[in-house]
Amino acid sequence: MLLIRCPYCEMDRPEVEFRYAGEAHLKRPDPGAATDAEWTDFLYFRANPKGAHAERWRHAAGCGRFLNCLRDTASDRILATYRIGEPRPTAGQRGGGHANG
Amino acid sequence: MKFSFVSLAREGLTGHLGWTPQWRSPDPKPAYDVVIVGGGGHGLATAYYLAEEYGVANVAVLEKGWLGGGNTGRNTTIVRSNYLWEASEAIYAHSHRLWTTLAEALNYNVMFSPRGVLQLAHNRHEAAALKRQVHANRLAGVEGEWVNPAQAKAVCPILNTDPGIRYPVVGGALQRTGGTARHDAVAWGFARAASGRGVDIVQNCEVTGVRRDASGAVIGVETTRGAIATKTVGVVVAGHSSVVAAMAGFRLPIESFPLQALVSEPLKPVMPCVAMSNAIHAYMSQSDKGELVIGAGTDAYTSYSQTGGLHIASATLEAICELFPIASRLKMMRNWAGIVDTTPDRSPIIGKTPVPGLFVNCGWGTGGFKATPGSGHLFAHQLATGEPHPIAAPFALDRFRSGALVNEATAAAVAH
Ligand SMILES: Cc1cc2nc3c(=O)[nH]c(=O)nc-3n(C[C@H](O)[C@H](O)[C@H](O)COP(=O)(O)OP(=O)(O)OC[C@H]3O[C@@H](n4cnc5c(N)ncnc54)[C@H](O)[C@@H]3O)c2cc1C
Ligand SMILES: [Zn+2]
């Protein structure tokens, strides 16, 4: 089980308090202008890297808020958690003061 | 060496000293007509059918670890064909037919055991969905029937049909021709048969790059054992599909998740069938060694770590103990995870990619073991002819653009 630091509660909390919500930083295309290819990419295609992965979680059984998390998918080690709206920390770097061991 | 009653008797009387290795382990050649990346069941089956049915034997199967060390050797071996949509019924039924004669075809005992697969419903909504599945299957000529709790208990005597439990059994969909097979034997049987027909099986050989010419077409692969030239690459790497696609410069609608399983200490025969509960993510059967083989649902997050969270395994065990009270005092011997390649519509992706000459067979997710022979057979057609087999055509990558999904996710949302 992962131990995830909530950047709002500023506490390390067990994974069971959170809900996973998929890849972070996806941008919904402009419905008026998007091509089929852009829609396909937004709806279905995901980065799925073996390595640093930026992803959303929701602290469902805590503050209820969405947060972002940078996790190494090869080791499951959490590199950083950060608030929605903050930029993705550089891979491998502990970002935002919410680093997690 | 052919397995027969005579060869078994001869070896039995002479101390089993005459058996030869089951497949050759050659060094990779500098070039092949076809290179298959991934030596799981699907990759090995593809190579076998290429040689056997399409006369293409100048083929290499490149496996980064050992044969069947991926999901093939980690899965709970449930074989069934009762999916909802016509395209799925066709592809899984095709595979199901091949299972019934596979041991003879390969001259290798894959221990296919059609002992019956029982999918349980716990409320009226699930019952309605499973009945719809049974009816759809029967229209398509796929065997299946609806059973009430008493009939389910007759099929599976250790099942708890007490209506007072948290998730009572209100009925189930039973496919009597479904069952299990021996996972290692499937990988080894296909490897042996492919090798015997001229295919080179190269283990400990990881593909690290894809070479392309100025037009973008494939001209070879880079591996930890050197570069290999080829104009046709079949990528059959399950959980690592996105990683190999990235080497060739394209993306896939796939996410990789851990899926866990457990086995108990061995028991005398107690479970004559396979039982699955999709709602509470508990799947159980008994291996020929006597272990109860238990499958869970996927973990929540994407990962390549081949480990999952203990809370997922324990939730499954809680469900197992309620459904099968005799399991409550069993010791679990092992718990592991495989990395499954999940698509948005829970159907596989078979066929062309944006890279000419490079084809994928992936996205089988939590349920591709049952498809091993059929998947290999259809993908061999794609690699040999360059065009999809009619049964595989609905599973093209392009369906995510066209919208023609084969949505087994909302239909059944079934693992395995
Ligand atoms: C716990 C669990 C339970 C399951 N239960 C069932 C079930 O009951 N019924 C069912 O039908 N299905 C089940 N499945 C799903 C099934 O196991 C898979 O869909 C199926 O095995 C996929 O087959 P494969 O041959 O493609 O995969 P694999 O056996 O995973 O083969 C892929 C191979 O590719 C190799 N590879 C990866 N990257 C590279 C590279 N760069 N270079 C060279 N080689 C590479 C890997 O090492 C691996 O051996 C289960 C899976 C799991 C994990
Ligand atoms: Zn919080």
Side-chain angles (χ1 to χ4, degrees), chain A:
Chain A
M1 188 183 302
L2 303 178
L3 196 58
I4 301 172
R5 185 165 185 86
C6 175
Y8 304 103
C9 300
E10 301 194 327
M11 279 192 279
D12 294 334
R13 305 299 300 165
E15 182 191 331
V16 285
E17 288 189 9
F18 297 82
R19 290 289 174 279
Y20 182 71
E23 188 179 343
H25 305 303
L26 296 179
K27 286 204 177 53
R28 187 181 172 82
D30 172 2
T35 63
D36 276 6
E38 281 162 353
W39 272 120
T40 310
D41 206 58
F42 170 73
L43 287 174
Y44 300 123
F45 284 61
R46 295 293 176 264
N48 200 27
K50 187 174 187 173
H53 183 236
E55 61 200 22
R56 297 183 310 159
W57 289 81
R58 193 167 87 83
H59 194 184
C63 62
R65 301 180 72 174
F66 278 94
L67 58 127
N68 285 333
C69 171
L70 194 65
R71 186 175 50 89
D72 183 341
T73 61
S75 63
D76 290 337
R77 186 186 173 92
I78 292 177
L79 306 170
T81 53
Y82 51 105
R83 297 179 180 197
I84 296 296
E86 288 179 6
R88 174 187 162 138
T90 321
Q93 203 184 44
R94 297 182 158 212
H98 310 295
N100 199 337

Side-chain angles (χ1 to χ4, degrees), chain B residues 37-44 62-80 83 205-208 236-240 243-244 247 258-261 295-296 336-341 361 364-372 415-416:
Chain B
V37 188
H42 289 220
L44 293 163
L62 310 180
E63 165 54 50
K64 72 171 176 167
W66 64 95
L67 296 190
N71 293 343
T72 301
R74 293 167 186 267
N75 87 94
T76 52
T77 77
I78 299 172
V79 174
R80 59 188 182 85
Y83 284 67
C205 179
E206 181 172 356
V207 169
T208 54
V236 202
V237 294
H240 278 77
V243 176
V244 176
M247 292 176 198
L259 179 64
Q260 299 185 56
W336 64 89
I339 300 302
V340 297
D341 41 341
N361 181 359
W364 291 97
T366 57
F369 176 73
K370 64 179 67 66
T372 305
H416 317 324

Side-chain angles (χ1 to χ4, degrees), chain B residues 122-141:
Chain B
H122 300 289
N123 56 49
R124 55 181 296 193
H125 311 289
E126 262 195 298
L130 280 178
K131 282 180 184 169
R132 175 185 181 218
Q133 176 194 306
V134 168
H135 296 316
N137 290 160
R138 293 173 78 155
L139 282 174

